[in-house]
Amino acid sequence: MPHYLHRRAFVAIGGTLTALGVSLLLAAPASAQTGQPIRIGYSMALTGGLAPNGKSALLAQQIWAEDVNAKGGLLGRPVRLLYYDDQTNPATVPGIYTKLIDVDKVELIIGGYGTNMLAPAMPVVMQKNKVFIGLLGLAVNSEFNYPRFFSMNASGPDPKPSFTKGFLDMAMTQDPKPRTVAIVAADAEFAVNSSDGALENAKKHNLNVVYNRRYPPNTTDFAPIVRAIAATNPDLVVVCSYPPDSVGIVRAVNEIGFKPKMIGGSMVGLQNTAIKAQLGPLLNGWTNYDLWLPVPKMNFAGVADLMAKYQARAGAEGVDSQGYYMVPPAYAQMQVLQQAVEATKGLDDGKLADYIRGATFKTVFGDIKFDAKGEWAESRMLQVQFQNVKGNDPAQFKDMSTQIVVTPTEYESGKLIYPYEKAK
């Protein structure tokens, strides 16, 4: 088991000094490796609203580094991870990547977690011509068109509609068909992109959009917003939110007794075990996107072993006890970089980008191939409905009896309960 060296660093961002946590993963076993470590730098949300998912991803990345180092490293050199806490604050991100590249002189970089953290890194990354594999993120490259960007999000070549496409497609197969939809979103990068996609999907289905508004990201009282939505009496409600908002909206919907025919769609946070346990039965009937769950059809090579390693350490590390949402994509993010380095036998960003763009990668997150914009060549976004949740025991979310993959068909593990109130 490798040891960890922790220190504190102060980075000047926007004229102020901000304390950022740094961890260096030391190589093991040293006897199997020679030369200086290959340092991989990035930002990660370890505090703030995205921290529960960020910490889960970080442990997966550390497990990857341990696995690689135990087999002799990359190119015969040990791997070292160098990361800074971006505090779920987009303003910290440009300074972090500038420091990593110009001061720390890392050989490789990867993207941190979340659209709102990836987008502000792009100008720095582009100026330095670095390969940039983002951990999730929605349509980050749609405006930049940077040829060395790649996304680990399963959203596919048309990313903005992908988070809600399955939700609305499934809703339109119900009898009677819904006619109206409300769309509510946080006024922040991810949620805005996703709500734009939801509006596009709604128009394709000729749904009447009776509500389409955004709320400030620092909103804490969602009752007035939910009442305003309920007043329009929509059949469907699409919510595009980040973790604190997702919790607030679920609670407000239940407290007010609002019962649309289907609700959910694009809510970050409801994939996290602690949040699921906190909300408990309030989740019943909600249908929301996800990326990976341990259903038989998603038992990709190596993923069961990875999840066992992660879950054995989750308690001591203080992270999501199950890790279904973040662990496979975070580990696969590193596998893509690893396979590109091994195939090109070097660290040249241009050669790495060319290889990543053309190859198919075998990962714990399934087979991955990228398109010209760095998105997945094919979408694999899941929609999952919560059913039969009882009490607040997190153990009930370990098996799949409470989380039913309802679309796409090739990964389906059960049937949608419709309308929503029948699952309450």
Side-chain angles (χ1 to χ4, degrees), residues 328-355:
Y331 193 96
Q333 176 189 29
M334 310 308 293
Q335 286 183 304
V336 169
L337 186 62
Q338 173 190 354
Q339 290 171 34
V341 168
E342 290 172 342
T344 62
K345 298 180 171 57
L347 306 176
D348 181 272
D349 286 279
K351 292 179 180 177
L352 291 171
D354 289 344
Y355 181 81

PDB file of all heavy atoms in Angstrom, residues 328-355:
ATOM      1  N   PRO A 328     -16.786   4.494 -11.681  1.00  0.00           N
ATOM      2  CA  PRO A 328     -16.432   3.979 -13.012  1.00  0.00           C
ATOM      3  C   PRO A 328     -15.947   5.047 -13.988  1.00  0.00           C
ATOM      4  O   PRO A 328     -14.909   4.861 -14.640  1.00  0.00           O
ATOM      5  CB  PRO A 328     -17.719   3.297 -13.474  1.00  0.00           C
ATOM      6  CG  PRO A 328     -18.407   2.891 -12.195  1.00  0.00           C
ATOM      7  CD  PRO A 328     -18.128   4.029 -11.264  1.00  0.00           C
ATOM      8  N   PRO A 329     -16.622   6.215 -14.130  1.00  0.00           N
ATOM      9  CA  PRO A 329     -16.090   7.207 -15.070  1.00  0.00           C
ATOM     10  C   PRO A 329     -14.752   7.803 -14.643  1.00  0.00           C
ATOM     11  O   PRO A 329     -13.908   8.102 -15.495  1.00  0.00           O
ATOM     12  CB  PRO A 329     -17.185   8.276 -15.142  1.00  0.00           C
ATOM     13  CG  PRO A 329     -18.027   8.077 -13.948  1.00  0.00           C
ATOM     14  CD  PRO A 329     -17.952   6.625 -13.625  1.00  0.00           C
ATOM     15  N   ALA A 330     -14.531   7.980 -13.334  1.00  0.00           N
ATOM     16  CA  ALA A 330     -13.266   8.560 -12.876  1.00  0.00           C
ATOM     17  C   ALA A 330     -12.098   7.613 -13.129  1.00  0.00           C
ATOM     18  O   ALA A 330     -11.014   8.042 -13.560  1.00  0.00           O
ATOM     19  CB  ALA A 330     -13.352   8.912 -11.390  1.00  0.00           C
ATOM     20  N   TYR A 331     -12.303   6.339 -12.877  1.00  0.00           N
ATOM     21  CA  TYR A 331     -11.252   5.352 -13.139  1.00  0.00           C
ATOM     22  C   TYR A 331     -11.031   5.231 -14.646  1.00  0.00           C
ATOM     23  O   TYR A 331      -9.887   5.165 -15.125  1.00  0.00           O
ATOM     24  CB  TYR A 331     -11.647   4.009 -12.539  1.00  0.00           C
ATOM     25  CG  TYR A 331     -10.532   2.985 -12.462  1.00  0.00           C
ATOM     26  CD1 TYR A 331      -9.799   2.822 -11.292  1.00  0.00           C
ATOM     27  CD2 TYR A 331     -10.222   2.160 -13.541  1.00  0.00           C
ATOM     28  CE1 TYR A 331      -8.790   1.869 -11.200  1.00  0.00           C
ATOM     29  CE2 TYR A 331      -9.218   1.220 -13.466  1.00  0.00           C
ATOM     30  CZ  TYR A 331      -8.502   1.072 -12.288  1.00  0.00           C
ATOM     31  OH  TYR A 331      -7.501   0.127 -12.215  1.00  0.00           O
ATOM     32  N   ALA A 332     -12.125   5.222 -15.414  1.00  0.00           N
ATOM     33  CA  ALA A 332     -12.014   5.105 -16.863  1.00  0.00           C
ATOM     34  C   ALA A 332     -11.331   6.326 -17.478  1.00  0.00           C
ATOM     35  O   ALA A 332     -10.626   6.211 -18.488  1.00  0.00           O
ATOM     36  CB  ALA A 332     -13.403   4.920 -17.479  1.00  0.00           C
ATOM     37  N   GLN A 333     -11.541   7.491 -16.891  1.00  0.00           N
ATOM     38  CA  GLN A 333     -10.851   8.702 -17.338  1.00  0.00           C
ATOM     39  C   GLN A 333      -9.340   8.477 -17.339  1.00  0.00           C
ATOM     40  O   GLN A 333      -8.638   8.839 -18.296  1.00  0.00           O
ATOM     41  CB  GLN A 333     -11.205   9.862 -16.401  1.00  0.00           C
ATOM     42  CG  GLN A 333     -10.493  11.174 -16.689  1.00  0.00           C
ATOM     43  CD  GLN A 333     -10.730  12.207 -15.604  1.00  0.00           C
ATOM     44  OE1 GLN A 333     -10.952  11.864 -14.435  1.00  0.00           O
ATOM     45  NE2 GLN A 333     -10.704  13.476 -15.963  1.00  0.00           N
ATOM     46  N   MET A 334      -8.849   7.849 -16.285  1.00  0.00           N
ATOM     47  CA  MET A 334      -7.417   7.580 -16.173  1.00  0.00           C
ATOM     48  C   MET A 334      -6.997   6.449 -17.112  1.00  0.00           C
ATOM     49  O   MET A 334      -5.886   6.455 -17.652  1.00  0.00           O
ATOM     50  CB  MET A 334      -7.062   7.228 -14.726  1.00  0.00           C
ATOM     51  CG  MET A 334      -7.584   8.218 -13.682  1.00  0.00           C
ATOM     52  SD  MET A 334      -7.164   9.939 -14.015  1.00  0.00           S
ATOM     53  CE  MET A 334      -5.402   9.917 -13.813  1.00  0.00           C
ATOM     54  N   GLN A 335      -7.893   5.483 -17.312  1.00  0.00           N
ATOM     55  CA  GLN A 335      -7.582   4.390 -18.247  1.00  0.00           C
ATOM     56  C   GLN A 335      -7.408   4.894 -19.675  1.00  0.00           C
ATOM     57  O   GLN A 335      -6.542   4.418 -20.408  1.00  0.00           O
ATOM     58  CB  GLN A 335      -8.686   3.332 -18.207  1.00  0.00           C
ATOM     59  CG  GLN A 335      -8.683   2.464 -16.967  1.00  0.00           C
ATOM     60  CD  GLN A 335      -9.762   1.403 -17.031  1.00  0.00           C
ATOM     61  OE1 GLN A 335     -10.944   1.719 -17.206  1.00  0.00           O
ATOM     62  NE2 GLN A 335      -9.365   0.144 -16.913  1.00  0.00           N
ATOM     63  N   VAL A 336      -8.243   5.846 -20.089  1.00  0.00           N
ATOM     64  CA  VAL A 336      -8.116   6.419 -21.432  1.00  0.00           C
ATOM     65  C   VAL A 336      -6.748   7.082 -21.584  1.00  0.00           C
ATOM     66  O   VAL A 336      -6.043   6.863 -22.585  1.00  0.00           O
ATOM     67  CB  VAL A 336      -9.253   7.428 -21.702  1.00  0.00           C
ATOM     68  CG1 VAL A 336      -8.978   8.228 -22.977  1.00  0.00           C
ATOM     69  CG2 VAL A 336     -10.595   6.708 -21.812  1.00  0.00           C
ATOM     70  N   LEU A 337      -6.361   7.880 -20.593  1.00  0.00           N
ATOM     71  CA  LEU A 337      -5.052   8.535 -20.642  1.00  0.00           C
ATOM     72  C   LEU A 337      -3.932   7.496 -20.644  1.00  0.00           C
ATOM     73  O   LEU A 337      -2.972   7.589 -21.415  1.00  0.00           O
ATOM     74  CB  LEU A 337      -4.905   9.475 -19.449  1.00  0.00           C
ATOM     75  CG  LEU A 337      -3.653  10.337 -19.416  1.00  0.00           C
ATOM     76  CD1 LEU A 337      -3.599  11.279 -20.617  1.00  0.00           C
ATOM     77  CD2 LEU A 337      -3.584  11.146 -18.118  1.00  0.00           C
ATOM     78  N   GLN A 338      -4.058   6.497 -19.793  1.00  0.00           N
ATOM     79  CA  GLN A 338      -3.057   5.440 -19.697  1.00  0.00           C
ATOM     80  C   GLN A 338      -2.878   4.717 -21.026  1.00  0.00           C
ATOM     81  O   GLN A 338      -1.753   4.526 -21.511  1.00  0.00           O
ATOM     82  CB  GLN A 338      -3.466   4.436 -18.612  1.00  0.00           C
ATOM     83  CG  GLN A 338      -2.592   3.197 -18.528  1.00  0.00           C
ATOM     84  CD  GLN A 338      -3.187   2.127 -17.610  1.00  0.00           C
ATOM     85  OE1 GLN A 338      -4.195   2.358 -16.948  1.00  0.00           O
ATOM     86  NE2 GLN A 338      -2.557   0.969 -17.571  1.00  0.00           N
ATOM     87  N   GLN A 339      -3.982   4.313 -21.622  1.00  0.00           N
ATOM     88  CA  GLN A 339      -3.909   3.563 -22.875  1.00  0.00           C
ATOM     89  C   GLN A 339      -3.330   4.409 -24.005  1.00  0.00           C
ATOM     90  O   GLN A 339      -2.609   3.900 -24.868  1.00  0.00           O
ATOM     91  CB  GLN A 339      -5.294   3.029 -23.238  1.00  0.00           C
ATOM     92  CG  GLN A 339      -5.761   1.916 -22.308  1.00  0.00           C
ATOM     93  CD  GLN A 339      -7.219   1.521 -22.517  1.00  0.00           C
ATOM     94  OE1 GLN A 339      -7.728   1.559 -23.635  1.00  0.00           O
ATOM     95  NE2 GLN A 339      -7.890   1.128 -21.438  1.00  0.00           N
ATOM     96  N   ALA A 340      -3.625   5.713 -24.000  1.00  0.00           N
ATOM     97  CA  ALA A 340      -3.055   6.602 -25.020  1.00  0.00           C
ATOM     98  C   ALA A 340      -1.547   6.757 -24.839  1.00  0.00           C
ATOM     99  O   ALA A 340      -0.785   6.743 -25.812  1.00  0.00           O
ATOM    100  CB  ALA A 340      -3.738   7.961 -24.965  1.00  0.00           C
ATOM    101  N   VAL A 341      -1.104   6.907 -23.587  1.00  0.00           N
ATOM    102  CA  VAL A 341       0.333   7.017 -23.307  1.00  0.00           C
ATOM    103  C   VAL A 341       1.056   5.743 -23.721  1.00  0.00           C
ATOM    104  O   VAL A 341       2.122   5.786 -24.360  1.00  0.00           O
ATOM    105  CB  VAL A 341       0.574   7.325 -21.810  1.00  0.00           C
ATOM    106  CG1 VAL A 341       2.047   7.158 -21.438  1.00  0.00           C
ATOM    107  CG2 VAL A 341       0.101   8.742 -21.472  1.00  0.00           C
ATOM    108  N   GLU A 342       0.480   4.597 -23.374  1.00  0.00           N
ATOM    109  CA  GLU A 342       1.121   3.324 -23.710  1.00  0.00           C
ATOM    110  C   GLU A 342       1.165   3.108 -25.221  1.00  0.00           C
ATOM    111  O   GLU A 342       2.155   2.608 -25.759  1.00  0.00           O
ATOM    112  CB  GLU A 342       0.365   2.187 -23.025  1.00  0.00           C
ATOM    113  CG  GLU A 342       0.547   2.179 -21.503  1.00  0.00           C
ATOM    114  CD  GLU A 342      -0.343   1.176 -20.798  1.00  0.00           C
ATOM    115  OE1 GLU A 342      -1.346   0.718 -21.391  1.00  0.00           O
ATOM    116  OE2 GLU A 342      -0.041   0.863 -19.622  1.00  0.00           O
ATOM    117  N   ALA A 343       0.100   3.496 -25.925  1.00  0.00           N
ATOM    118  CA  ALA A 343       0.041   3.274 -27.369  1.00  0.00           C
ATOM    119  C   ALA A 343       1.002   4.182 -28.123  1.00  0.00           C
ATOM    120  O   ALA A 343       1.618   3.766 -29.112  1.00  0.00           O
ATOM    121  CB  ALA A 343      -1.382   3.489 -27.878  1.00  0.00           C
ATOM    122  N   THR A 344       1.140   5.435 -27.653  1.00  0.00           N
ATOM    123  CA  THR A 344       2.023   6.384 -28.345  1.00  0.00           C
ATOM    124  C   THR A 344       3.453   6.346 -27.805  1.00  0.00           C
ATOM    125  O   THR A 344       4.337   6.989 -28.370  1.00  0.00           O
ATOM    126  CB  THR A 344       1.484   7.822 -28.216  1.00  0.00           C
ATOM    127  OG1 THR A 344       1.442   8.200 -26.831  1.00  0.00           O
ATOM    128  CG2 THR A 344       0.079   7.932 -28.817  1.00  0.00           C
ATOM    129  N   LYS A 345       3.628   5.617 -26.693  1.00  0.00           N
ATOM    130  CA  LYS A 345       4.952   5.461 -26.057  1.00  0.00           C
ATOM    131  C   LYS A 345       5.578   6.808 -25.693  1.00  0.00           C
ATOM    132  O   LYS A 345       6.787   7.009 -25.801  1.00  0.00           O
ATOM    133  CB  LYS A 345       5.900   4.673 -26.969  1.00  0.00           C
ATOM    134  CG  LYS A 345       5.435   3.249 -27.261  1.00  0.00           C
ATOM    135  CD  LYS A 345       6.405   2.511 -28.158  1.00  0.00           C
ATOM    136  CE  LYS A 345       6.070   1.034 -28.265  1.00  0.00           C
ATOM    137  NZ  LYS A 345       4.696   0.773 -28.764  1.00  0.00           N
ATOM    138  N   GLY A 346       4.711   7.733 -25.252  1.00  0.00           N
ATOM    139  CA  GLY A 346       5.237   9.043 -24.877  1.00  0.00           C
ATOM    140  C   GLY A 346       4.172   9.930 -24.267  1.00  0.00           C
ATOM    141  O   GLY A 346       3.028   9.516 -24.047  1.00  0.00           O
ATOM    142  N   LEU A 347       4.566  11.202 -24.029  1.00  0.00           N
ATOM    143  CA  LEU A 347       3.690  12.156 -23.365  1.00  0.00           C
ATOM    144  C   LEU A 347       3.386  13.367 -24.240  1.00  0.00           C
ATOM    145  O   LEU A 347       2.936  14.396 -23.746  1.00  0.00           O
ATOM    146  CB  LEU A 347       4.343  12.624 -22.049  1.00  0.00           C
ATOM    147  CG  LEU A 347       4.762  11.516 -21.074  1.00  0.00           C
ATOM    148  CD1 LEU A 347       5.485  12.117 -19.880  1.00  0.00           C
ATOM    149  CD2 LEU A 347       3.548  10.715 -20.622  1.00  0.00           C
ATOM    150  N   ASP A 348       3.632  13.251 -25.544  1.00  0.00           N
ATOM    151  CA  ASP A 348       3.393  14.359 -26.456  1.00  0.00           C
ATOM    152  C   ASP A 348       1.886  14.605 -26.609  1.00  0.00           C
ATOM    153  O   ASP A 348       1.143  13.713 -27.028  1.00  0.00           O
ATOM    154  CB  ASP A 348       4.005  14.051 -27.822  1.00  0.00           C
ATOM    155  CG  ASP A 348       3.813  15.178 -28.814  1.00  0.00           C
ATOM    156  OD1 ASP A 348       2.766  15.192 -29.511  1.00  0.00           O
ATOM    157  OD2 ASP A 348       4.700  16.057 -28.878  1.00  0.00           O
ATOM    158  N   ASP A 349       1.443  15.827 -26.268  1.00  0.00           N
ATOM    159  CA  ASP A 349       0.009  16.118 -26.252  1.00  0.00           C
ATOM    160  C   ASP A 349      -0.630  15.963 -27.628  1.00  0.00           C
ATOM    161  O   ASP A 349      -1.765  15.495 -27.740  1.00  0.00           O
ATOM    162  CB  ASP A 349      -0.225  17.531 -25.711  1.00  0.00           C
ATOM    163  CG  ASP A 349      -0.026  17.618 -24.205  1.00  0.00           C
ATOM    164  OD1 ASP A 349      -0.951  17.258 -23.475  1.00  0.00           O
ATOM    165  OD2 ASP A 349       1.065  18.021 -23.765  1.00  0.00           O
ATOM    166  N   GLY A 350       0.076  16.350 -28.681  1.00  0.00           N
ATOM    167  CA  GLY A 350      -0.471  16.212 -30.028  1.00  0.00           C
ATOM    168  C   GLY A 350      -0.686  14.774 -30.417  1.00  0.00           C
ATOM    169  O   GLY A 350      -1.748  14.407 -30.955  1.00  0.00           O
ATOM    170  N   LYS A 351       0.303  13.928 -30.146  1.00  0.00           N
ATOM    171  CA  LYS A 351       0.180  12.509 -30.471  1.00  0.00           C
ATOM    172  C   LYS A 351      -0.890  11.840 -29.618  1.00  0.00           C
ATOM    173  O   LYS A 351      -1.643  10.975 -30.094  1.00  0.00           O
ATOM    174  CB  LYS A 351       1.524  11.815 -30.287  1.00  0.00           C
ATOM    175  CG  LYS A 351       2.585  12.255 -31.298  1.00  0.00           C
ATOM    176  CD  LYS A 351       3.911  11.556 -31.042  1.00  0.00           C
ATOM    177  CE  LYS A 351       4.965  12.006 -32.051  1.00  0.00           C
ATOM    178  NZ  LYS A 351       6.291  11.382 -31.781  1.00  0.00           N
ATOM    179  N   LEU A 352      -0.970  12.226 -28.341  1.00  0.00           N
ATOM    180  CA  LEU A 352      -1.994  11.663 -27.464  1.00  0.00           C
ATOM    181  C   LEU A 352      -3.393  12.014 -27.971  1.00  0.00           C
ATOM    182  O   LEU A 352      -4.282  11.157 -28.029  1.00  0.00           O
ATOM    183  CB  LEU A 352      -1.812  12.185 -26.036  1.00  0.00           C
ATOM    184  CG  LEU A 352      -0.570  11.700 -25.284  1.00  0.00           C
ATOM    185  CD1 LEU A 352      -0.411  12.454 -23.974  1.00  0.00           C
ATOM    186  CD2 LEU A 352      -0.655  10.198 -25.014  1.00  0.00           C
ATOM    187  N   ALA A 353      -3.592  13.288 -28.353  1.00  0.00           N
ATOM    188  CA  ALA A 353      -4.906  13.718 -28.835  1.00  0.00           C
ATOM    189  C   ALA A 353      -5.292  12.975 -30.114  1.00  0.00           C
ATOM    190  O   ALA A 353      -6.441  12.534 -30.264  1.00  0.00           O
ATOM    191  CB  ALA A 353      -4.897  15.221 -29.080  1.00  0.00           C
ATOM    192  N   ASP A 354      -4.345  12.823 -31.030  1.00  0.00           N
ATOM    193  CA  ASP A 354      -4.632  12.109 -32.279  1.00  0.00           C
ATOM    194  C   ASP A 354      -5.033  10.665 -32.000  1.00  0.00           C
ATOM    195  O   ASP A 354      -5.964  10.131 -32.617  1.00  0.00           O
ATOM    196  CB  ASP A 354      -3.409  12.141 -33.202  1.00  0.00           C
ATOM    197  CG  ASP A 354      -3.158  13.519 -33.796  1.00  0.00           C
ATOM    198  OD1 ASP A 354      -4.081  14.364 -33.738  1.00  0.00           O
ATOM    199  OD2 ASP A 354      -2.036  13.754 -34.293  1.00  0.00           O
ATOM    200  N   TYR A 355      -4.337  10.043 -31.058  1.00  0.00           N
ATOM    201  CA  TYR A 355      -4.644   8.645 -30.742  1.00  0.00           C
ATOM    202  C   TYR A 355      -6.022   8.531 -30.074  1.00  0.00           C
ATOM    203  O   TYR A 355      -6.830   7.667 -30.440  1.00  0.00           O
ATOM    204  CB  TYR A 355      -3.574   8.046 -29.833  1.00  0.00           C
ATOM    205  CG  TYR A 355      -3.855   6.598 -29.510  1.00  0.00           C
ATOM    206  CD1 TYR A 355      -3.513   5.585 -30.414  1.00  0.00           C
ATOM    207  CD2 TYR A 355      -4.509   6.235 -28.334  1.00  0.00           C
ATOM    208  CE1 TYR A 355      -3.813   4.261 -30.147  1.00  0.00           C
ATOM    209  CE2 TYR A 355      -4.812   4.906 -28.067  1.00  0.00           C
ATOM    210  CZ  TYR A 355      -4.456   3.924 -28.973  1.00  0.00           C
ATOM    211  OH  TYR A 355      -4.764   2.615 -28.711  1.00  0.00           O
TER     212      TYR A 355
END
